[in-house]
Amino acid sequence: MMSNLKGLFYPRTPTGKASIVPPVPWHYSGELITLEYRTDPAKIAALLPEGFTLAEEDPGAVAAIWADWQSTSDDPAQILDPVRVQYKEMFIVVRCQFQGKTWSRCVYIWVDKEFAMLRGQHQGYPKKLGSIQMSRPVYVGKAGPRLQPGGMFGVTLAAFDRRLAEGRFTITETAEKPGFVNGLPMVHNRWMPAIETDGTQSLDEVVTMSSYDVDFGRCFKGDFDLTYFDSPVEELLDIAPQEKIAGYWHEVGVSWRAGTTLARNNLA
């Protein structure tokens, strides 16, 4: 008699306890540093798959985002086991058009935990493993920046033993919101090559995210510097900054249960 295997992602087991990804809903709370800049729009267009076009307004705008997250499902015991809920990520967002609407789209992203990588791939984020670091604000002592004008933060990204990006952000004032590039619903592709590896796709979908209970906290604006570095397995130099827009430090909380499929061309 075969078991009724459970689990959102693999491995699926009789209880689902061993699944890499916990069951939905997922709740996120985090501190983010967002650095917005402009690059060559043609380089962004080259990253967009068939059916997508550049955003009509400010098509070269990019957001490089560092995030320090704590995330959990509805099981309160997870919070008491911090290794299961804490992770960092760095992701790069552009804007594009699909089916007559303008969307935000993540073109590159790195995380430092297995569960975060698999969970993001379920949502359509092209997640890879990396080392992500960002300065923490402090409220006592002298071992970090204050959340006030003059507070200076550093951010770094590395993968495969190579530094890929580094930046500095300095607070100049408070802000109402953290820029505009990452301010629209996300549109992603979910791809999985067929096992025959003949160019067909078992999974070929365009999906969008539907978050809820969004909660914005403190937000600060400022100046920044951002540098990308070369790597034999990355292409960040193609979208290197050409003009700065603004940087932000901000807090956000959000929950997610399900997305929506906008287009599907899966292998029958």
Side-chain angles (χ1 to χ4, degrees):
M1 180 177 178
M2 295 185 64
S3 299
N4 180 21
L5 298 183
K6 299 179 177 63
L8 179 64
F9 229 109
Y10 56 75
R12 291 182 175 174
T13 64
T15 66
K17 180 179 178 180
S19 178
I20 296 173
V21 179
V24 295
W26 302 325
H27 311 291
Y28 304 77
S29 298
E31 298 177 354
L32 290 76
I33 292 176
T34 296
L35 309 178
E36 291 190 339
Y37 65 88
R38 294 184 178 93
T39 193
D40 181 358
K43 298 298 186 179
I44 294 178
L47 290 170
L48 301 178
E50 184 178 357
F52 289 77
T53 58
L54 289 170
E56 292 182 354
E57 183 180 350
D58 216 343
V62 180
I65 306 170
W66 275 258
D68 187 354
W69 291 113
Q70 187 157 282
S71 66
T72 180
S73 65
D74 278 343
D75 180 4
Q78 293 175 9
I79 294 295
L80 304 180
D81 193 8
V83 70
R84 298 165 57 193
V85 300
Q86 294 176 348
Y87 70 101
K88 295 187 180 73
E89 68 183 359
M90 187 275 183
F91 55 112
I92 298 177
V93 176
V94 302
R95 294 176 308 136
C96 60
Q97 287 193 302
F98 181 75
Q99 295 182 344
K101 293 180 61 177
T102 303
W103 308 82
S104 296
R105 179 178 176 86
C106 178
V107 293
Y108 295 116
I109 182 168
W110 296 262
V111 295
D112 61 3
K113 290 286 184 67
E114 174 191 62
F115 72 85
M117 186 173 74
L118 269 293
R119 184 174 60 188
Q121 289 178 359
H122 168 66
Q123 297 170 316
Y125 286 91
K127 290 190 175 185
K128 300 192 288 185
L129 288 175
S131 173
I132 301 96
Q133 305 296 335
M134 52 193 292
S135 300
R136 298 169 180 162
V138 300
Y139 309 96
V140 296
K142 301 178 180 179
R146 293 289 203 272
L147 290 174
Q148 61 189 30
M152 181 179 291
F153 297 75
V155 292
T156 63
L157 165 70
F160 285 111
D161 290 337
R162 289 174 168 86
R163 178 160 291 191
L164 302 179
E166 65 182 21
R168 291 183 178 181
F169 165 69
T170 304
I171 293 175
T172 58
E173 59 188 298
T174 59
E176 292 296 320
K177 62 179 183 178
F180 66 97
V181 178
N182 194 35
L184 298 169
M186 281 281 187
V187 66
H188 295 146
N189 287 77
R190 303 207 311 160
W191 287 314
M192 178 62 71
I195 196 64
E196 289 77 13
T197 322
D198 56 4
T200 59
Q201 306 290 328
S202 293
L203 179 66
D204 185 0
E205 298 174 343
V206 180
V207 299
T208 185
M209 301 296 100
S210 302
S211 57
Y212 64 98
D213 287 346
V214 179
D215 186 14
F216 291 107
R218 295 166 293 180
C219 183
F220 299 89
K221 185 178 181 179
D223 192 18
F224 73 91
D225 293 303
L226 175 63
T227 303
Y228 294 152
F229 301 100
D230 199 10
S231 164
V233 293
E234 301 294 351
E235 303 172 55
L236 287 181
L237 293 184
D238 288 345
I239 56 170
Q242 296 182 353
E243 177 189 355
K244 293 189 291 186
I245 300 176
Y248 302 88
W249 184 99
H250 51 112
E251 297 170 310
V252 64
V254 66
S255 295
W256 188 90
R257 182 183 298 275
T260 302
T261 303
L262 302 177
R264 178 178 283 132
N265 190 31
N266 297 338
L267 187 65

